[in-house]
Amino acid sequence: MSLDEVGELRAADPDAPDAPETPVAAAEPAPARTPGTWAALRPLLLRLHFYAGVLIAPLLLVAATTGLLYAGSWQAEKILYADQLTVDRVGASAQPLSAQVGAATNAAPQGTVTAVWPAPEADATTRVIMESPGLAEGETLTVFVDPYTAEVRGKLTTVGDALPLRAWLSEFHASLHLGEFGRNYSELAASWLWVVALGGLALWIGRKRARKAALVVPDRTATGRRKTLSWHGSVGVWIVLGLVGLSATGLTWSRYAGENIGELKDGLGGGTPAVAAKLPGAPAADAGGEHAGHGAAGGTPEAMPAPAAPVDVIGIDGAVAAARSAGVTESLRITLPAQGKGYVVKEQDKQVPVHLDAVAVDPADGRVMDELRFADHPLLAQLTRFGIDLHMGLTFGLANQLALAALAVLVMFMVVWGYRMWWLRRPTKERTLSAGRPQPRGAWRKLPVTVLLPLAAATAVVGWFLPMLGISLLVFLAGDLVLGFVASRRGAGAGAEV
């Protein structure tokens, strides 16, 4: 995975000094030899790796830095918000959830309770989730309640399960807090990460080496650029699977590629199912949609009455009891009934072994209306769930978060090593401001047609599916054509002067 290989003009000895430009006299030309597929493909791959490394590496560095901060946020919020997250003393028995919700409502009377997350551990607090006026879209007010005394431990503005610090760092990692425009940076980085990783792996494996161990073990006897190249390549082998995994899972959150991935998943039957919580006799979910008011009565959507809140006879404690009897027991998250739907009780224990089953409970009689087991999810939906949770540092807890942090640090080193090799490759080291040269132009002309056409077709498909990759690749090609045109004009001008 070498940025430095972009400047190689002699594969046998990349550290050798540049060959003199004066021709060697009176040597018989060697017979032309058709290069193999790899020999023809390698220069093109080197040139692509050069542009991706030089131009996209800054985005990868930013993504790795913000990702490192996010990986540490899980432990940081446990320290920063210890008063809200934990109780002073573990009691003998917990108060009913209804009493805990009542305490939270008294502490935040302006809020409307939408969900309750009972304490997942003995020393943890219960979270009562509320919609509250004045909050931004996607934000909720969370009230933390001691389950043993029903004492309110604090209130925080949250986004999903993220407390303020992690919510801020998550948005920083995704968009640098620049809104929809900022999301382009992370999508561009994720779109190119797998290309750089797999392309670099192919280049590193394809190099000639005296010892096979040098593929995965840095050469400590090397010096200068060779030493940096050795570390860059061998460490790249260690982390390539992690980089590809981060790229694939990161794209599922992206704006443009994420839509294509979602459509592809649904087309393959891999969409994530949801438990059916609609109450008998409740109006259809789209009753107020674009065709509302077109019936015989001829009413307008504004004139139609809003769905009445369901009658809640069993209460939240009854719903939890019904869910537990159905086997839904771990790290519960309860969505309260509203607009023709019953209680939804889900497990959210994402550490291996996962507990992600869900049930819907009728608030009138406690009947379990529907059950959804994670084992019954489509395989593609399960793999997506595992991949996203690994990306977030959830699946293996602290070990997962440490692995993500280490991966982020190594990506930073890879970028620095790549730029250092490019710097050391500059043709005239006496000129401080000079830079390393890219692989010579025209590499695609050496590819056999049987390789070039399928490669072009595959590139077009991938570029359409990952729009940020396709657009940036076109920009690279356009810039390369301009540089080539300028260089040819300079060459023609120099020839005319002679």
Side-chain angles (χ1 to χ4, degrees):
M1 300 174 60
S2 171
L3 255 178
D4 180 59
E5 289 186 278
V6 300
E8 288 183 322
L9 301 179
R10 297 191 300 167
D13 187 3
D15 276 328
D18 296 330
E21 296 184 1
T22 53
V24 179
E28 285 241 357
R33 186 175 61 179
T34 304
T37 300
W38 171 246
L41 184 62
R42 186 172 180 271
L44 181 63
L45 197 56
L46 283 169
R47 193 165 182 83
L48 176 66
H49 201 66
F50 166 76
Y51 280 119
V54 171
L55 301 177
I56 301 300
L59 300 182
L60 298 179
L61 185 62
V62 173
T65 304
T66 57
L68 175 62
L69 294 175
Y70 180 80
S73 67
W74 295 93
Q75 303 305 316
E77 71 178 8
K78 290 181 180 180
I79 299 172
L80 188 61
Y81 305 111
D83 290 342
Q84 290 87 356
L85 294 174
T86 57
V87 300
D88 290 331
R89 184 179 62 86
V90 176
S93 61
Q95 297 284 326
L97 279 177
S98 55
Q100 299 178 48
V101 172
T105 303
N106 291 334
Q110 77 281 8
T112 301
V113 179
T114 59
V116 179
W117 301 354
E121 287 95 24
D123 63 344
T125 54
T126 293
R127 300 191 191 188
V128 180
I129 316 299
M130 298 183 177
E131 293 179 349
S132 184
L135 296 180
E137 183 180 359
E139 293 182 342
T140 54
L141 177 67
T142 299
V143 181
F144 300 83
V145 182
D146 186 325
Y148 305 105
T149 64
E151 172 195 359
V152 172
R153 303 280 298 175
K155 296 179 289 185
L156 292 172
T157 300
T158 54
V159 179
D161 66 350
L163 304 186
L165 174 64
R166 183 155 55 88
W168 193 92
L169 289 175
S170 176
E171 186 63 26
F172 187 45
H173 179 58
S175 69
L176 302 179
H177 288 280
L178 297 176
E180 289 298 318
F181 174 78
R183 292 181 63 187
N184 294 330
Y185 117 83
S186 57
E187 181 166 356
L188 195 58
S191 298
W192 276 98
L193 179 57
W194 67 275
V195 177
V196 175
L198 294 180
L201 178 67
L203 290 172
W204 182 244
I205 292 176
R207 288 177 61 87
K208 294 181 179 180
R209 50 181 54 85
R211 298 181 303 109
K212 292 183 178 180
L215 180 68
V216 294
V217 178
D219 185 358
R220 298 184 178 181
T221 62
T223 58
R225 195 187 64 86
R226 279 187 179 275
K227 181 178 181 179
T228 306
L229 172 62
S230 178
W231 278 94
H232 185 84
S234 57
V235 171
V237 174
W238 303 344
I239 65 174
V240 64
L241 289 180
L243 298 183
V244 173
L246 287 177
S247 175
T249 52
L251 287 171
T252 62
W253 284 300
S254 63
R255 181 179 180 182
Y256 303 108
E259 293 180 1
N260 292 335
I261 292 173
E263 292 176 1
L264 179 62
K265 281 178 54 186
D266 292 342
L268 296 175
T272 301
V275 66
K278 180 177 173 291
L279 294 171
D286 60 350
E290 61 179 346
H291 300 293
H294 291 191
T300 62
E302 292 80 6
M304 298 183 68
V311 177
D312 189 359
V313 176
I314 63 172
I316 190 171
D317 295 291
V320 171
R324 291 188 185 279
S325 66
V328 177
T329 60
E330 305 296 327
S331 297
L332 299 184
R333 295 186 179 180
I334 307 136
T335 302
L336 273 59
Q339 297 184 352
K341 294 184 178 181
Y343 284 99
V344 175
V345 185
K346 297 181 179 180
E347 294 177 319
Q348 286 295 312
D349 181 8
K350 297 180 179 179
Q351 293 194 32
V352 174
V354 300
H355 298 90
L356 296 172
D357 297 341
V359 295
V361 180
D362 191 327
D365 55 14
R367 176 177 56 90
V368 174
M369 299 184 295
D370 189 29
E371 300 182 14
L372 180 61
R373 307 296 173 180
F374 184 68
D376 296 330
H377 285 210
L379 178 60
L380 189 56
Q382 293 183 8
L383 293 176
T384 301
R385 178 76 269 163
F386 281 124
I388 290 175
D389 292 341
L390 279 169
H391 190 122
M392 296 180 65
L394 288 170
T395 304
F396 300 107
L398 178 60
N400 198 164
Q401 294 149 24
L402 290 175
L404 288 175
L407 191 59
V409 171
L410 289 176
V411 169
M412 296 179 199
F413 274 106
M414 295 289 288
V415 171
V416 172
W417 286 332
Y419 277 118
R420 182 174 187 270
M421 288 184 291
W422 183 41
W423 175 258
L424 293 175
R425 185 61 190 177
R426 60 194 192 278
T428 307
K429 294 184 173 61
E430 289 76 17
R431 293 172 55 193
T432 306
L433 297 180
S434 63
R437 293 171 299 181
Q439 182 73 14
R441 295 169 50 83
W444 63 272
R445 299 192 195 95
K446 301 177 183 178
L447 287 175
V449 176
T450 54
V451 176
L452 181 61
L453 293 181
L455 181 62
T459 302
V461 171
V462 172
W464 173 86
F465 192 74
L466 306 178
M468 295 300 289
L469 176 64
I471 293 172
S472 58
L473 183 57
L474 289 176
V475 171
F476 290 170
L477 292 175
D480 192 44
L481 289 174
V482 170
L483 292 176
F485 176 76
V486 172
S488 63
R489 291 293 298 269
R490 286 177 177 174
E497 291 178 3
V498 175

